[in-house]
Amino acid sequence: MIVLPAIDLREGRCVRLYQGDYRQTTVYSHDPVAVAQRWQEAGARWLHLVDLDGAAQGQPVNLATVERIRAATTLQIELGGGLRDLTSIEHVLSLGIERVVLGTSAVRQPALLAEALQRWGERIAVGLDARAGLVAVAGWQQTERIAAVELAAQLCALGVARFIYTDIARDGTLGGPNLEALQAMQQVVRQARPARALIASGGVRSLEDIRSLARLGVEGVIIGKALYTGDVDLTAALACAASCEPMTESGA
């Protein structure tokens, strides 16, 4: 299982929100580049970047910081936040970002998602962020009337190869991941043919949480606040994820 440390960017700083609330922001560093380098030195191979300003405004805002992180590390990077047109997606990928995460555009612009998948294939992931099981968009400020698992099934049929699922109520809380919701989502993506990949996000607070997620068979786990508070050591998390055995197809 892959561990992806998270850097959420707001006004060029490394921050964390509480349950996606922009009014409850904690600044952890004024130098996101140094944070990314620290995660690389700890052994990370992937980095999960979120442009929070971009998510709220509907267009990328923190790309200068993203470019500095790209230049200063050899990490594989996935980036989400405000990518709602093909030009923005293409520009981000041209910077050397390995994967983009589409959220609002994937929900509200299916034609754009289909075109992006045709052009860039597995370099496109879809972020499904749920509040009480329903999909939230526009920087988590608006909620759609569709369940995340239902939308996931529809997007599997469209050809999406990878999903990132976040339970907003758990995000930034250190309350533990929503294993029940993740298991339901995992069942949907596994039933697709071919099976799709799922990355879990939200609430991770301990190595035991990582073990529980590994048992579900998810491809990866995004860890944010717990790394910044020291509740989880990244090197230990990477070792834990590497040693965990995933659940078999039979559920054993």
Side-chain angles (χ1 to χ4, degrees), residues 8 16-20 140 166-173 201-203:
D8 289 1
R16 296 300 298 171
L17 306 183
Y18 181 82
Q19 295 182 333
W140 297 355
T166 304
D167 186 317
I168 296 170
R170 305 295 180 103
D171 193 70
T173 67
S201 175

Side-chain angles (χ1 to χ4, degrees), residues 27-239:
V27 178
Y28 284 101
S29 175
H30 290 270
D31 188 355
V33 176
V35 174
Q37 291 173 322
R38 185 162 83 245
W39 298 151
Q40 178 172 301
E41 290 165 4
R45 294 185 295 113
W46 275 91
L47 180 67
H48 179 76
L49 280 180
V50 180
D51 183 347
L52 290 174
D53 298 304
Q57 297 180 33
Q59 60 184 8
V61 174
N62 287 285
L63 287 186
T65 302
V66 172
E67 289 188 70
R68 289 198 297 273
I69 293 173
R70 172 70 291 161
T73 73
T74 58
L75 291 162
Q76 296 181 83
I77 298 173
E78 62 179 26
L79 171 69
L83 299 171
R84 299 180 194 168
D85 59 73
L86 294 171
T87 300
S88 296
I89 296 169
E90 185 172 36
H91 178 61
V92 165
L93 292 174
S94 75
L95 299 178
I97 302 303
E98 278 72 21
R99 188 157 69 213
V100 300
V101 183
L102 304 185
T104 301
S105 58
V107 177
R108 293 182 169 175
Q109 300 171 264
L112 181 146
L113 175 60
E115 178 67 21
L117 290 169
Q118 182 178 357
R119 291 194 191 186
W120 299 294
E122 287 206 23
R123 297 184 76 185
I124 304 296
V126 168
L128 293 178
D129 308 319
R131 180 179 287 111
L134 299 178
V135 174
V137 296
W140 297 355
Q141 298 176 80
Q142 300 170 26
T143 303
E144 300 286 305
R145 291 186 176 182
I146 184 170
V149 289
E150 181 181 348
L151 181 59
Q154 295 176 11
L155 297 183
C156 282
L158 192 62
V160 174
R162 180 170 287 100
F163 296 91
I164 298 169
Y165 179 80
T166 304
D167 186 317
I168 296 170
R170 305 295 180 103
D171 193 70
T173 67
L174 298 177
N178 186 336
L179 296 176
E180 183 178 355
L182 284 162
Q183 184 173 30
M185 185 65 67
Q186 179 72 337
Q187 288 175 346
V188 170
V189 302
R190 273 189 168 177
Q191 287 169 359
R193 290 294 177 265
R196 304 323 202 250
L198 178 64
I199 296 174
S201 175
V204 173
R205 61 190 170 186
S206 66
L207 297 184
E208 184 53 41
D209 287 337
I210 294 173
R211 295 186 189 99
S212 295
L213 291 167
R215 286 192 289 269
L216 289 182
V218 298
E219 179 188 67
V221 54
I222 294 168
I223 309 178
K225 186 173 182 177
L227 296 178
Y228 297 97
T229 60
D231 286 84
V232 172
D233 173 78
L234 181 55
T235 301
L238 291 163

